Amino acid sequence: ESIRSFGINTFDFPEDFLKGLENPTVDSLKAYIKELADKKYIEKVIDIYLDNRKDILKNIEKYLKDTWRLDRITKTSISLIQLAIIEMKYMDLDYKIAINEALEISKKYQDKKEVKFINGILSNFVSESKSGSENKKDNKETIDDIIKD
């Protein structure tokens, strides 16, 4: 779907992209479109983070045990938790996908304790969001909306 929205502008691709390509292929155009979509996604995540950093951190602190503080958590874990919260709360990504991605990345770089820790924080966040009114879809952008901008 998002590729179609870019397809209309096929002839408007930057010349530096097409320069040197005798016959641009569908694959090269798809790669370029994916790069544009990835950039839009990253920009959106950064904008959301900058606008909502305090709220995001409060959500994490809310689910820490009494003896824990944010400064005791690894930067990798904090980053993964923040990204998952941004995707779930502000970008309307399904919680199963957001949590799974955070856990899979964590498994690559951290020990099992950190993976369990991230899962616990995010599971508590989702449980409360589901029972409360935080999970409203009225004013959330989807990833397709972000790519269209």
Side-chain angles (χ1 to χ4, degrees), residues 17-54:
F17 172 71
L18 296 174
K19 195 182 290 181
L21 293 177
E22 290 180 27
N23 296 313
T25 65
V26 171
D27 288 340
S28 63
L29 293 175
K30 284 182 182 178
Y32 179 72
I33 291 167
K34 182 180 180 337
E35 182 181 323
L36 288 177
D38 290 346
K39 285 180 183 178
K40 289 265 188 191
Y41 169 81
I42 292 166
E43 288 171 0
K44 189 66 178 179
V45 167
I46 291 170
D47 287 344
I48 291 169
Y49 174 77
L50 293 174
D51 291 343
N52 300 284
R53 183 172 189 267
K54 288 180 182 177

Side-chain angles (χ1 to χ4, degrees), residues 92-148:
D92 201 25
L93 184 64
D94 184 273
Y95 73 91
K96 293 175 188 171
I97 296 169
I99 292 175
N100 185 56
E101 289 295 319
L103 297 178
E104 290 302 314
I105 294 168
S106 181
K107 286 177 188 176
K108 289 181 181 180
Y109 302 104
Q110 303 187 108
D111 62 31
K112 289 181 181 181
K113 283 184 178 181
E114 288 296 319
V115 176
K116 281 182 154 182
F117 173 78
I118 291 170
N119 190 43
I121 297 288
L122 293 175
S123 294
N124 287 330
F125 172 79
V126 168
S127 293
E128 186 174 298
S129 295
K130 280 182 157 185
S131 64
S133 60
E134 285 186 28
N135 224 1
K136 291 181 183 174
K137 294 187 178 185
D138 304 349
N139 54 0
K140 290 186 186 173
E141 283 187 296
T142 64
I143 290 176
D144 283 339
D145 293 333
I146 293 164
I147 294 170
K148 288 179 193 174

Side-chain angles (χ1 to χ4, degrees), residues 66-99:
D66 293 336
T67 57
W68 279 79
R69 295 183 326 266
L70 282 175
D71 60 355
R72 286 188 62 193
I73 303 168
T74 67
K75 289 182 181 187
T76 303
S77 292
I78 286 286
S79 297
L80 291 169
I81 294 167
Q82 289 179 110
L83 179 59
I85 289 173
I86 288 169
E87 290 178 331
M88 292 183 291
K89 184 173 181 178
Y90 300 97
M91 297 173 74
D92 201 25
L93 184 64
D94 184 273
Y95 73 91
K96 293 175 188 171
I97 296 169
I99 292 175

